[in-house]
Amino acid sequence: MDFIIKSTAYGEVGIDTKASPGNGKFYVKLYDGSYDAVGFDSFEEAWAELEFVACGIVDVEYEK
């Protein structure tokens, strides 16, 4: 079961509750089905990946 932390119009970042021990528990998913990845160590790392893949933004910082 996945737990969504933050979603946008184009994708989401969340926690993969079935992640294997030793791998990062955060995931990135684009809603158009073109990208789905797990294994990120932090929310910030996963968020940066989402912004890069979806929007091409390279130097992104998550703002609460």
Side-chain angles (χ1 to χ4, degrees):
M1 177 180 195
D2 294 335
F3 177 74
I4 299 172
I5 295 176
K6 176 132 177 123
S7 64
T8 66
Y10 44 84
E12 65 188 46
V13 171
I15 296 174
D16 180 3
T17 58
K18 295 180 183 176
S20 299
N23 290 337
K25 64 180 180 177
F26 294 91
Y27 73 87
V28 173
K29 177 181 179 180
L30 293 184
Y31 294 139
D32 67 3
S34 65
Y35 189 76
D36 190 4
V38 297
F40 297 96
D41 293 324
S42 69
F43 170 79
E44 290 78 14
E45 181 184 5
W47 182 257
E49 181 73 4
L50 174 66
E51 290 294 307
F52 176 72
V53 171
C55 304
I57 300 171
V58 176
D59 293 325
V60 65
E61 290 185 21
Y62 174 69
E63 296 181 16
K64 295 180 183 178

